[in-house]
Amino acid sequence: MSARGQNSGQPSWGAYLDDLVGEHGSLAAVSERLAATHNWREEVESITRALRRLKDRGSLPGGKWGDRLLRTFGLPHSVDARLRFMGSYHSRFVDLPVPLCSDLVQLWDRPPTSESRPGRLWLSLARATLALRAQQPEEARVHLHTAKASATGEPAAQVEVALGESLLVSRERPNVAADVLAEVPAWLAQLHGDDADCLRARYIGQRSHALNHAGAVDEAEALHRALPDGPEVHPFARSRRANGIAYGRHRHGDREAALHHARLAARHAGDAGHVRLRAMALLMIARVSPRSPEGDEARQRASAIARALDDATLLARCAASERDRG
């Protein structure tokens, strides 16, 4: 949160105020800004005393003054970036073991971060992803509902919520999952850079899943081929694109092309350190070539990753791959 907050690994009102003092020069300057937002109805000295008391509250609820600080100044950029990292499925946060992720989210899910709108939003998304990885769909649904209430005006978060909801719906009613994604193109149009690449690739992946389920394999593959590809595109997005094409080629019986794209998917994932995504690409290699030395090795490597991450969803996919091998 500041150098102090980051070293301690724990958010606190003291660390938050240290950040504000570093930015504005003094606690009195912070108090003056707060006084100005309320037309100087309170004395600066009185506000300063209240802020000194708040500094000693650690991670307890901030009350009136905590709320006013957050509404006036928001969270430091470094904290906002960390929260987004934890709440974004395509970040490398999901490449950490599930128990460690849970501990980190728990650590940050306290005041002042939990009393801010961005904190509630991104921590709820992080908890939703953890619930999905733990195969707890009802818990994921609750956290997505909480995140949705705070996501307005945050297109990246709105896409995250829609993708999560669509994933849950697809497991029960695959024919209507696409309806949940209706507004996603408009939100994607507001995004640029790596987030846009990764979220677009995930969106296409979910649309393609529904199309493949309906037998429209050519249309699903075409959507993946239309995604941008090149060194300027984030490796996560390139991996998802290649894996989608690999599945389409596999469904058409084009084994060599399917293996080529599955290997590309594994390479792109590995280039960015996305070990969970790499495991999914390895499982695609095993799907395409189930009874070959390469397929067996890929399945074993994916299973090792799943065990290391303590990821119930990934472990279930590995078990399904083993059954498919026969």
Side-chain angles (χ1 to χ4, degrees), residues 228-240:
D229 186 37
E232 74 284 356
V233 178
H234 194 282
F236 178 99
R238 298 185 74 187
S239 180
R240 293 292 291 256

Side-chain angles (χ1 to χ4, degrees), residues 1 5 19 24 58 72 76 100-101 142 151 153 188 193 206 222 277 279 294 311:
M1 182 159 287
D19 270 318
H24 296 273
T72 303
L100 176 58
C101 289
V142 170
L188 286 173
Q206 290 206 19
L277 187 64
E294 182 183 17
D311 190 306

Side-chain angles (χ1 to χ4, degrees), residues 245-268:
I245 295 172
Y247 181 78
R249 290 295 83 206
H250 171 61
R251 287 286 297 271
H252 281 288
D254 189 350
R255 181 177 179 276
E256 289 307 311
L259 275 176
H260 169 71
H261 285 287
R263 291 166 185 154
L264 271 181
R267 189 177 79 188
H268 291 321

Side-chain angles (χ1 to χ4, degrees), residues 17-291:
L17 281 160
D18 284 347
D19 270 318
L20 295 180
V21 168
E23 180 179 345
H24 296 273
S26 68
L27 194 60
V30 173
S31 301
E32 287 180 6
R33 174 79 178 275
L34 286 176
T37 61
H38 281 70
N39 297 315
W40 306 93
R41 291 195 296 268
E42 294 142 320
E43 294 182 353
V44 172
E45 292 78 6
S46 175
I47 296 175
T48 301
R49 287 194 296 272
L51 296 185
R52 287 199 180 101
R53 291 193 296 271
L54 180 62
K55 285 191 71 170
D56 294 331
R57 289 189 62 77
S59 293
L60 295 173
K64 166 187 171 181
W65 292 106
D67 181 62
R68 282 179 62 176
L69 281 171
L70 289 167
R71 284 191 285 111
T72 303
F73 298 102
L75 291 173
H77 174 74
S78 61
V79 174
D80 186 71
R82 184 174 298 193
L83 292 171
R84 289 172 181 269
F85 173 75
M86 289 192 286
S88 300
Y89 173 84
H90 54 270
S91 79
R92 290 191 60 206
F93 189 64
V94 300
D95 297 306
L96 298 174
V98 169
L100 176 58
C101 289
S102 297
D103 288 347
L104 290 170
V105 171
Q106 183 68 29
L107 183 66
W108 283 89
D109 196 3
R110 63 184 71 191
T113 50
S114 62
E115 294 191 351
S116 68
R117 186 185 69 84
R120 290 190 296 274
L121 169 59
W122 295 105
L123 289 168
S124 293
L125 284 170
R127 289 190 180 281
T129 296
L130 287 171
L132 289 170
R133 292 178 67 187
Q135 293 193 315
Q136 298 171 340
E138 291 309 312
E139 184 174 340
R141 203 183 310 275
V142 170
H143 293 305
L144 287 170
H145 180 77
T146 301
K148 193 171 188 175
S150 300
T152 303
E154 285 275 5
Q158 289 173 305
V159 175
E160 289 281 0
V161 170
L163 291 173
E165 290 179 333
S166 175
L167 180 62
L168 289 172
V169 170
S170 70
R171 296 173 178 179
E172 302 165 358
R173 295 173 294 160
N175 295 334
V176 301
D179 297 342
V180 182
L181 302 174
E183 296 184 75
V184 168
W187 294 327
L188 286 173
Q190 302 175 53
L191 299 172
H192 305 280
D194 290 346
D195 274 348
D197 288 343
C198 296
L199 287 168
R200 184 173 291 108
R202 290 169 54 199
Y203 164 65
I204 291 301
Q206 290 206 19
R207 284 190 58 196
S208 297
H209 176 77
L211 289 169
N212 284 320
H213 189 272
V217 179
D218 288 342
E219 188 176 349
E221 184 179 340
L223 287 176
H224 277 105
R225 289 187 179 276
L227 285 169
D229 186 37
E232 74 284 356
V233 178
H234 194 282
F236 178 99
R238 298 185 74 187
S239 180
R240 293 292 291 256
R241 177 185 185 273
N243 218 41
I245 295 172
Y247 181 78
R249 290 295 83 206
H250 171 61
R251 287 286 297 271
H252 281 288
D254 189 350
R255 181 177 179 276
E256 289 307 311
L259 275 176
H260 169 71
H261 285 287
R263 291 166 185 154
L264 271 181
R267 189 177 79 188
H268 291 321
D271 285 349
H274 284 285
V275 293
R276 189 176 190 275
L277 187 64
R278 183 172 174 81
M280 293 167 66
L282 290 169
L283 289 175
M284 182 60 72
I285 292 174
R287 179 194 288 261
V288 174
S289 189
R291 295 180 181 84

